[in-house]
Amino acid sequence: MEPRTGDSSTGPVYGPPVEVACLLDEQTRAVRTPGGEQVTSTSTAYADLETTAPPLSRVTLPGGRQTTVIQAKHRDGRRLGTPNHLEIQLE
């Protein structure tokens, strides 16, 4: 993952790439952006809570496909008997 740090006159600016250990679920689903717009998510990554995934960060999936972060939400897994985690919706 390359966290998006801002914009320049030539386009988006990204920080250095960071490898993120996660469980990747490549199912398509409709999700809402933080601004309320409905978009299609092609994958969801489940990562450790210490992971930082700002919206619009660039992500390279194991097969080499590049995508961007739609949003990331902290999830309390206690109700489901799973660990607390960060759910990252990918475009």
Side-chain angles (χ1 to χ4, degrees), residues 69-90:
V69 173
I70 297 170
Q71 67 178 341
K73 293 182 178 180
H74 288 90
R75 295 292 188 193
D76 181 356
R78 288 178 287 181
R79 294 182 313 192
L80 300 174
T82 61
N84 293 344
H85 58 277
L86 184 69
E87 180 180 303
I88 307 167
Q89 298 292 333
L90 303 170

Side-chain angles (χ1 to χ4, degrees), residues 9-87:
S9 60
T10 58
V13 176
Y14 299 97
V18 178
E19 190 169 312
V20 176
C22 66
L23 172 66
L24 182 64
D25 179 11
E26 295 189 81
Q27 291 187 34
T28 302
R29 61 180 59 112
V31 297
R32 294 217 179 267
T33 66
E37 179 183 0
Q38 185 169 326
V39 297
T40 300
S41 170
T42 60
S43 302
T44 304
Y46 301 93
D48 193 65
L49 285 176
E50 280 79 41
T51 303
T52 301
L56 304 176
S57 294
R58 185 165 45 198
V59 177
T60 303
L61 299 178
R65 180 173 71 90
Q66 284 195 330
T67 185
T68 57
V69 173
I70 297 170
Q71 67 178 341
K73 293 182 178 180
H74 288 90
R75 295 292 188 193
D76 181 356
R78 288 178 287 181
R79 294 182 313 192
L80 300 174
T82 61
N84 293 344
H85 58 277
L86 184 69
E87 180 180 303

